[in-house]
């Protein structure tokens, strides 16, 4: 298996990596509070950081950890980032203790997805390797598989950089071959139907397009971020 993207790390390590990457990205000159995230219509940089803080607060409360410090409603994106960094240290303990469960996986996937959203928004490169890929793609392919079943469709084989998932039930009727980056963005609602159709399918994927709308995800009406080269 190539690179660090498939190395199994605990959920706290994956989440902390995303948090530290956010901090580095927000230090970039182009990462102003009002910069909009095309992948999240209506959201700014400040909004996505506030979302991260809200998720941490909710997770800590659900874990019955000591009441977390909640930033003021008018906190700046820098203040929100500071709060996330502080709260994240407590969350890491919870994630480590519950490593492998679905709740931590959702936190990792959501944070990583928004890290990539932020990278596109400010023109920062998307990393070829990232420790959050394995956890994120495991959750996304499982969710997509549930959607495939709910739509009464045959399963889809997803081949991704040496790893295979069968999404759905029974023998796969179609195969999608793509990089981990493109699979991640496609299953997380960041690619339009036109972009999904343009991916490397073994057969016409049109009947499976409705299954890409699942959970909180839905393909955008207009093309999302550009398909990667590899």
């Amino acid at each position: 298996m190539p690179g660090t993207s498939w190395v199994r790390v605990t959920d706290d390590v994956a989440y902390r990596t995303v948090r530290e990457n956010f901090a580095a990205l927000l230090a970039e000159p182009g990462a102003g509070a009002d910069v909009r995230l095309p992948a999240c219509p209506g959201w700014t940089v400040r909004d996505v950081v506030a979302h991260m803080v809200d998720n941490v607060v909710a997770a800590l409360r659900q874990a019955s950890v000591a009441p977390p410090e909640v930033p003021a409603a008018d906190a700046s994106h820098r203040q929100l980032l500071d709060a996330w960094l502080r709260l994240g240290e407590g969350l890491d303990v919870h994630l480590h203790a519950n490593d492998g469960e679905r709740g931590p996986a959702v936190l990792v996937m959501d944070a990583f997805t928004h890290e990539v959203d932020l990278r596109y928004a400010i023109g920062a490169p998307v990393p070829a390797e990232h420790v959050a890929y394995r956890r994120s793609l495991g959750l996304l392919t499982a969710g997509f598989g549930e959607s495939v079943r709910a739509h009464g469709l045959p399963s889809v084989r997803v081949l991704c950089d040496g790893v295979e998932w069968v999404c759905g039930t029974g023998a796969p009727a179609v195969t999608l071959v793509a990089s981990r980056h493109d699979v991640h963005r496609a299953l997380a609602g960041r690619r339009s139907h036109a972009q999904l159709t343009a991916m490397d399918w073994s057969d016409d994927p049109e009947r499976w397009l409705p299954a890409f709308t699942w959970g909180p995800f839905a393909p955008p009406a207009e093309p999302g971020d550009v398909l990667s080269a590899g």
Side-chain angles (χ1 to χ4, degrees), residues 141 144-158 164-176 201-205 207-208 211-212:
T141 51
F144 177 62
E146 292 174 3
S147 183
V148 168
R149 285 191 289 272
H151 282 82
L153 295 166
S155 65
V156 178
R157 176 185 289 111
V158 178
E164 173 181 324
W165 293 274
V166 174
C167 302
T169 304
V174 68
T175 297
L176 170 64
W201 295 86
S202 63
D203 202 349
D204 186 351
R207 64 190 295 205
W208 284 274
F212 283 88

